[in-house]
Amino acid sequence: MKCMICKHGETKKGTATVTLEKGGSTIVFKEVPAHICDNCGEKYIDDSVTKELLKKAREIVENGVEVDIRKYETAA
Ligand SMILES: [Zn+2]
């Protein structure tokens, strides 16, 4: 896939760290599957993965956790 930001780079499969801030909570997901531009480093995350991250983030916020750092794990 061509990068939409710099329009020069090609995206490659890799992993990214995603930080979400929600209702006073900060949640950091490590090793999130992503496509990363080899030119500018822009990260593209699939919709299904984004949805999963937001769902997990909501659960964490509901539990009243302020800071949570975890590895992303795909639901089987
Ligand atoms: Zn780029």
Side-chain angles (χ1 to χ4, degrees):
M1 184 176 103
K2 260 243 177 339
C3 177
M4 288 185 287
I5 303 298
C6 67
K7 299 190 168 54
H8 292 288
E10 281 288 329
T11 56
K12 292 206 163 72
K13 268 193 181 164
T15 58
T17 299
V18 177
T19 305
L20 293 173
E21 287 182 59
K22 260 183 170 286
S25 301
T26 303
I27 305 120
V28 180
F29 292 99
K30 293 186 167 184
E31 297 177 28
V32 178
H35 304 275
I36 300 155
C37 175
D38 62 4
N39 184 49
C40 70
E42 180 67 19
K43 289 171 266 196
Y44 296 92
I45 295 163
D46 290 342
D47 281 354
S48 59
V49 174
T50 305
K51 256 184 215 159
E52 194 63 28
L53 290 180
L54 291 174
K55 201 175 96 191
K56 284 180 204 281
R58 206 178 308 133
E59 284 169 12
I60 293 164
V61 170
E62 277 168 8
N63 288 331
V65 178
E66 283 182 21
V67 179
D68 193 292
I69 300 171
R70 58 176 61 195
K71 264 189 200 166
Y72 179 82
E73 285 163 45
T74 38

